[in-house]
Amino acid sequence: MNRWWFFAACLFGGIFGLYAFWRFEDAVSDLGRTVIAFFLFGFYCALVVIGTSGKKRTLSLLMQTLLGISLSCTIAALFSAPADAYLLAVILGLILGFTADWWVNHIQLP
């Protein structure tokens, strides 16, 4: 069992816990949206760290940039951002994904 299986089990367990123990009314509140946004951001960071660490790279620069853009647009949609905020979300996602190789070097896996 490699680390991708472990990561997938943690992801689906987290999603199950999110829907099993939260009511839907709590998920549409500001606190619920903030928790979901932090969960998505943490999931993106973990995916990039696992995909780019080590000697063999399994996540390309294009893919991590597209994932960063989709993450930022999803968080903007989650908070019902106006139309001009999506342009800012795309720019921030592009920066987040393109510089991921730099900030991954500062994270040490056990």
Side-chain angles (χ1 to χ4, degrees):
M1 188 165 129
N2 60 12
R3 58 183 163 192
W4 288 107
W5 284 101
F6 175 73
F7 191 63
C10 289
L11 169 70
F12 288 116
I15 292 172
F16 173 76
L18 187 68
Y19 284 108
F21 299 115
W22 260 10
R23 295 183 310 235
F24 182 72
E25 296 85 25
D26 294 338
V28 295
S29 68
D30 288 336
L31 178 64
R33 290 179 187 162
T34 305
V35 169
I36 291 171
F38 277 114
F39 176 76
L40 289 173
F41 183 73
F43 176 69
Y44 169 76
C45 291
L47 183 67
V48 170
V49 166
I50 290 173
T52 60
S53 66
K55 294 181 181 179
K56 184 178 179 187
R57 183 184 177 102
T58 59
L59 189 65
S60 68
L61 180 65
L62 176 67
M63 184 57 87
Q64 72 189 19
T65 304
L66 290 176
L67 284 172
I69 292 171
S70 64
L71 167 81
S72 61
C73 287
T74 302
I75 291 175
L78 185 65
F79 287 103
S80 302
D84 57 342
Y86 282 98
L87 179 64
L88 179 64
V90 168
I91 292 170
L92 289 175
L94 182 69
I95 292 170
L96 180 68
F98 194 72
T99 61
D101 288 335
W102 178 75
W103 56 263
V104 163
N105 290 332
H106 298 289
I107 299 174
Q108 294 180 358
L109 292 176

